[in-house]
Amino acid sequence: MPEFDNPNPPPEQSPDQSPSWMFGSDAVAESDARGIVNETFDYYQGLRSRHETKWKAADELYYGVVPVRNWDGSNIVRSHVPNNISFDHVETALANIESIFDNPEWFSAEAMDGGDPTDARKVQAVLQYYLDLPDPDTYTTALPEITHAIKGVLQYGTGFLKLEWINDRPRVRWTDIRNIYVPPTLATPNIDGAFNMIEMVDMTVEQLVNLAKYDKRIKIPSLPVLNTLAQSPIPTIGDATRSYSTFARGTPVSYPSDNWQPMPKNRTLRIAIYTERTRVIWMLNRLFPIFQDENPYGTFNYVSAPCRIAYGTFYGIGLPESIKYPQRYSEALMNAHVDEVHLALNPPKEMKRNQATNHSDQHTRPGKTWYSEDGKSMQTFTPPGATYNILPLFQEMNKMAEARNGMGTLSTGGGARPGNINRTRAGIQAQTESTSVRLKHMAQNLETYMLGPMLYKICRMIRYHTHPSDTLIGAFIGENGKEYRPVRAEVFHKDIRFIIRCASKMLTRDRLGMLLEPTSRYLLNPQVQAGLAKQHKKINYNVYAEMVQDAGGLAKKYMLVEDMTPEEIQAMNTPPPEVQAGMAKQQASD
């Protein structure tokens, strides 16, 4: 047997050179906390810039930014008309996905094996109550925050929500994607697969002081130090990306310099919130670790979702990114046509030389005049008309963009294009349903990565901050709408499994809407009802009412059919007065 040499032992390290491991149960010194947050932030920020370039391009496509060019050798501006198809696609998808929340029960809670279905129903009612409860600071519910996050999902490819426990209740807040920093090697769109993450939060001096009074674990510097820090905000690359978003819209704002306030208490400080599964660190202006403690929830209090999953990466593909080239191509065709029309209306001319010329006189532009030695008194040059027949190609680019995102002209409000498919009702319905089919994948991603984890994490927060003997409030859906009843918190200390069905409901609602009219016309026919009676069957009007409610997304049931009272039944069985008089007369005659 051959002999193997023993491996060399690892080099010895002095105590000063040994790495600081800082596991979840270890105490962290201020210098170590500062190094953890700053080094992690610099590393994540540097590698995130490649994604920020895509977010800038998404803003340009959404707002319709076309680079401005001049005609050669002049200051005359060429055509730069946008054809921002991305705006129509994002807004159309947002409106369709928002229909998920029209149904009062857009999510459902189901008990696990061996659990009590009544407890699951109570959990659902409590969650519904918290989601409908207005925020005491903004006076809005969680739904606008969720909608804002969905807008980020569609426009930038990824959107974020933050979950907080404030004033003895959970709160859902939208978080800007440009303020979130995740590991660049995160290969799935699930934020819970990250090692750690950082959020940059702007907070006023007054807010931070009040927060430190409420939570004694927060140690802040003195007011003069806070005032000095507030006068020198720490910029990030994400600030430049956010500033570019407002610039693309035509209202330039520079962050964070334009966020200055004349009153010192209203000036903002920047806090980097570093989160692990076992630890939370707050770093003030990248200088002072003002808070560090264990993570009480054991998970990230953030949720995110992709629009379309990009294989092997965290950030998804948004709608503008999907149709970048068809939109730019259509804009190039349209502006080339406008330029040619401009030349036709103001054609270049040639005249006999009567003065010296320079180099810029050799370029072509509207209203240009050339001078030559052998020219005539004056003659004009008509453009060749190369773009006069580009309308079919322009339409093909729009159709290519629609096919890429699944947004037809019917769904975007542009009407139906001429064609054989639009000649029948079935063809129109097929086009309408195709949009819901393509949007189902995006809605499914919202279910899987955002809405479902959001409810799970809210449930975990309630479990952590409540005792089984506490009393909560639940919003139960009844025939008359929502009914509010007390619920014991012990139901959150049991195993509950959630089933979220928003994407399937969105698709089912469209199909129910198409089936409602023919079904009603058939079932409510007296001859059909008479035939069912012969077979000892009848129409279940309760199920029919639920079908109408699901198709319309109604918040309550409208009981259009109800049981008769005993008086009404007796009156129906009593003959009319004239019949009774005839019967009495006949009886007397007999």
Side-chain angles (χ1 to χ4, degrees), residues 57-58 61-62 85-95 97 150-158 306-308 316-327 401-402 404-407 438-439 441-442:
L61 295 169
Y62 179 81
I85 314 171
S86 299
F87 180 90
D88 300 329
H89 288 193
V90 170
E91 297 301 324
T92 299
L94 181 63
I97 294 178
I150 295 176
K151 180 69 174 290
V153 170
L154 299 174
Q155 184 168 340
Y156 300 111
T158 305
C307 179
R308 289 192 178 98
I317 303 173
L319 297 182
E321 183 181 353
S322 302
I323 60 172
K324 173 183 177 181
Y325 297 107
Q327 178 172 329
E402 294 169 2
R404 182 67 59 85
N405 283 334
M407 304 292 175
R438 292 296 298 273
L439 289 177
H441 172 68
M442 304 176 196

Side-chain angles (χ1 to χ4, degrees), residues 573-587:
N573 296 329
T574 303
E578 57 274 10
V579 176
Q580 294 182 13
M583 293 173 61
K585 183 178 180 180
Q586 182 67 32
Q587 185 177 3

Side-chain angles (χ1 to χ4, degrees), residues 433-466:
E433 185 179 353
S434 63
T435 301
S436 297
V437 173
R438 292 296 298 273
L439 289 177
K440 182 183 177 182
H441 172 68
M442 304 176 196
Q444 189 69 47
N445 289 337
L446 291 173
E447 286 184 19
T448 305
Y449 298 102
M450 179 175 286
L451 300 180
M454 177 189 72
L455 296 174
Y456 277 117
K457 292 183 180 182
I458 292 178
C459 185
R460 179 180 293 224
M461 285 184 172
I462 297 175
R463 181 184 303 174
Y464 178 82
H465 291 282
T466 60

Side-chain angles (χ1 to χ4, degrees), residues 30-216:
E30 288 191 2
S31 59
D32 293 333
R34 186 182 299 109
I36 291 173
V37 178
N38 289 337
E39 292 179 14
T40 303
F41 175 77
D42 291 336
Y43 177 60
Y44 289 0
Q45 178 183 233
L47 295 180
R48 202 191 68 172
S49 58
R50 64 194 70 173
H51 297 286
E52 298 189 36
T53 303
K54 296 181 179 295
W55 301 340
K56 291 180 180 179
D59 288 329
E60 292 181 349
L61 295 169
Y62 179 81
Y63 293 113
V65 178
V66 178
V68 180
R69 299 179 301 158
N70 296 335
W71 289 92
D72 293 341
S74 71
N75 293 326
I76 302 176
V77 179
R78 301 186 65 171
S79 174
H80 53 282
V81 180
N83 183 30
N84 47 332
I85 314 171
S86 299
F87 180 90
D88 300 329
H89 288 193
V90 170
E91 297 301 324
T92 299
L94 181 63
N96 281 273
I97 294 178
E98 278 183 325
S99 63
I100 296 171
F101 308 102
D102 293 341
N103 195 306
E105 292 183 319
W106 57 270
F107 70 94
S108 58
E110 179 181 335
M112 299 183 69
D113 295 339
D116 189 354
T118 304
D119 291 341
R121 188 67 176 174
K122 293 178 181 179
V123 169
Q124 178 178 343
V126 173
L127 293 175
Q128 187 69 56
Y129 172 77
Y130 281 130
L131 293 176
D132 294 341
L133 190 63
D135 188 279
D137 297 330
T138 61
Y139 305 101
T140 59
T141 63
L143 185 56
E145 304 292 332
I146 296 175
T147 304
H148 212 159
I150 295 176
K151 180 69 174 290
V153 170
L154 299 174
Q155 184 168 340
Y156 300 111
T158 305
F160 285 90
L161 283 173
K162 183 178 181 179
L163 309 176
E164 300 174 305
W165 186 271
I166 299 178
N167 297 328
D168 296 330
R169 51 160 293 187
R171 182 164 59 180
V172 180
R173 282 191 173 182
W174 162 77
T175 300
D176 197 334
I177 187 177
R178 291 158 291 203
N179 293 334
I180 298 291
Y181 298 84
V182 300
T185 57
L186 187 57
T188 65
N190 190 353
I191 187 65
D192 291 295
F195 308 112
N196 49 33
M197 59 175 297
I198 294 179
E199 180 192 6
M200 302 300 292
V201 178
D202 290 336
M203 189 178 299
T204 65
V205 174
E206 185 177 22
Q207 289 175 337
L208 183 58
V209 171
N210 293 334
L211 189 60
K213 292 179 180 179
Y214 175 77
D215 192 341
K216 300 302 181 182

